[in-house]
Amino acid sequence: MSQSYAPAVAPSRTPATGAEPRQYSPRGILGVWAAAALPMAGLSWLVAPALAGRLDGANAWPRALLACLTVGLIWQGVLVLVLVRRETGTLRWHALADALWLHRPRSPRTGRVGGRVWWILLPAVLVVGLGQLLPSVPAPADRDLGAFMRSTNGHDFLSGNWPWFAVIVVMAVFNTVLGEELLFRGLLLPRMRGVFGRADWLANGVLFALYHLHMPWAIPKALLDTLALAYPTRRYRSVWLGIIVHSLQSVLIVGGSLALVLK
């Protein structure tokens, strides 16, 4: 990996729980952002159309787009592991947990860990729910996978189609667990305070919104998600908060897709 992705010199040991990891430089932050955003944009706008032209049968375009986005999300999970391995020298669970804030949320006021602190999920979920009620920029008809899944063609495509259902599950897992959240909230956010100070969570949310070059119509609502994903993760130092809130939509998508497969 290039130095721009991991600007910090690898420490000799994993940081203790609760300690700030070695901070990234502005160049390093933008490097990690680009390593996530540019492949997704290229896969969506360049590779997917080319692949669709080579596929046979019905629904070549949604198959190509779904496959390309899944590959891009898997790459983000791989990128996180590579960068953590360079920083800590290991991929053992204790090192991953400390490096990526994979700990139960801790109250900054009382020091309480877990328990009632998990109730912070409720307002975060409400923010996401309210965001769904706001007007949104419509996606192009041929790039709205949700609309495709709700269409007659989508129903016919998924009916009994376990292989493509498996692709949807993989995409959902890497979208909200092992990909986007782990990279932006687990890897980047803890390493941005050195540049952005107490506004690191806000800068993280802006970067996450701008990452959506592969679906720019989602950028406005992704900015709103800053309050539900980046802020709780930073305040309570737990990436699980962002993962859980972000995963709610994925659970609905996987559940709806499963219902279609079983028809």
Side-chain angles (χ1 to χ4, degrees), residues 13-216:
R13 59 177 180 166
T14 305
T17 301
E20 293 285 353
R22 193 73 63 88
Q23 297 297 288
Y24 283 175
S25 67
R27 181 182 176 185
I29 293 169
L30 290 177
V32 175
W33 174 86
L38 298 186
M40 287 291 284
L43 286 164
S44 175
W45 298 106
L46 300 176
V47 179
L51 178 60
R54 294 177 176 271
L55 293 177
D56 297 323
N59 300 316
W61 168 242
R63 285 187 288 142
L65 184 60
L66 184 60
C68 285
L69 294 181
T70 301
V71 169
L73 292 168
I74 291 174
W75 156 245
Q76 292 177 33
V78 173
L79 178 63
V80 169
L81 294 179
V82 170
L83 295 181
V84 171
R85 177 66 173 78
R86 289 192 60 183
E87 181 178 307
T88 66
T90 180
L91 289 178
R92 293 181 179 177
W93 173 252
H94 74 276
L96 288 172
D98 284 342
L100 301 174
W101 282 357
L102 287 164
H103 297 293
R104 291 177 296 167
R106 176 188 296 271
S107 170
R109 291 187 299 174
T110 66
R112 177 189 291 271
V113 177
R116 288 179 291 180
V117 184
W118 287 107
W119 282 103
I120 190 60
L121 287 169
L122 182 58
V125 170
L126 289 176
V127 169
V128 173
L130 290 174
Q132 298 305 309
L133 301 177
L134 297 177
S136 59
V137 179
D142 62 341
R143 288 182 172 270
D144 191 337
L145 288 176
F148 171 73
M149 296 302 180
R150 294 189 296 270
S151 69
T152 301
N153 286 341
H155 289 194
D156 294 339
F157 170 65
L158 276 179
S159 181
N161 198 338
W162 289 102
W164 277 101
F165 173 71
V167 173
I168 292 173
V169 172
V170 171
M171 182 179 71
V173 170
F174 278 91
N175 181 35
T176 58
V177 181
L178 302 178
E180 290 181 356
E181 281 305 308
L182 211 58
L183 189 144
F184 279 92
R185 253 64 69 175
L187 180 77
L188 267 184
L189 181 55
R191 292 159 178 81
M192 294 176 63
R193 179 145 290 195
V195 174
F196 295 100
R198 296 176 65 86
D200 55 351
W201 64 273
L202 183 59
N204 183 269
V206 172
L207 284 177
F208 180 65
L210 296 178
Y211 144 80
H212 288 82
L213 298 175
H214 57 289
M215 44 188 303

